[in-house]
Amino acid sequence: MNAPLGAAPERIWLAVEAVDMRLGIDGLSARIQASLGRSPCDGTTYAFTNRRRSRLKLLVWDGTGVWLSQRRLHRGYFTWPSASDPVFALTAAQWRWLTAGVDWQRRDAPAPAHWQV
């Protein structure tokens, strides 16, 4: 499997509530099970952020093990939903915008230069 941020997973869920970025695989897995009632090994990718939305943690089950990745923005913040639901589903295109640090909720946002072929 490629690095989790390199490609858009099939199912991507954002945990809407901010988490403590000190949590690792076990802590984030427990959070998925307890608050979402889901299995962290169901093939879904789960994304978490901190209160300032400057860091992103990603928990991915690839069929043989769990990946835990972290991305930090040096400037700005990740655009995150403010829904009442505990999780929010993204499309593959929205995922690419999010991980690039671009506001994925804007439909007319220009594609980042490194996406152009």
Side-chain angles (χ1 to χ4, degrees):
M1 176 177 175
N2 292 333
L5 292 176
E10 285 186 34
R11 290 179 292 168
I12 306 153
W13 292 88
L14 302 183
V16 176
E17 186 179 330
V19 300
D20 182 343
M21 286 287 116
R22 294 175 290 185
L23 291 175
I25 290 173
D26 295 333
L28 293 173
S29 293
R31 187 170 186 117
I32 291 167
Q33 291 171 336
S35 64
L36 307 179
R38 299 179 58 97
S39 169
C41 301
D42 65 0
T44 301
T45 295
Y46 295 95
F48 303 88
T49 190
N50 60 341
R51 283 194 184 108
R52 292 188 332 200
R53 309 283 187 238
S54 61
R55 295 175 190 257
L56 177 73
K57 270 201 174 176
L58 182 67
L59 195 68
V60 181
W61 170 259
D62 69 1
T64 59
V66 179
W67 288 84
L68 178 61
S69 300
Q70 181 170 332
R71 181 169 172 96
R72 179 182 65 186
L73 294 177
H74 292 286
R75 290 180 294 162
Y77 58 91
F78 292 106
T79 301
W80 216 252
S82 56
S84 58
D85 294 327
V87 293
F88 185 89
L90 288 178
T91 65
Q94 290 170 326
W95 172 252
R96 288 190 300 272
W97 287 114
L98 172 73
T99 57
V102 176
D103 185 352
W104 54 270
Q105 295 173 334
R106 291 186 353 197
R107 294 180 185 258
D108 59 348
H114 66 277
W115 288 5
Q116 314 232 338
V117 182

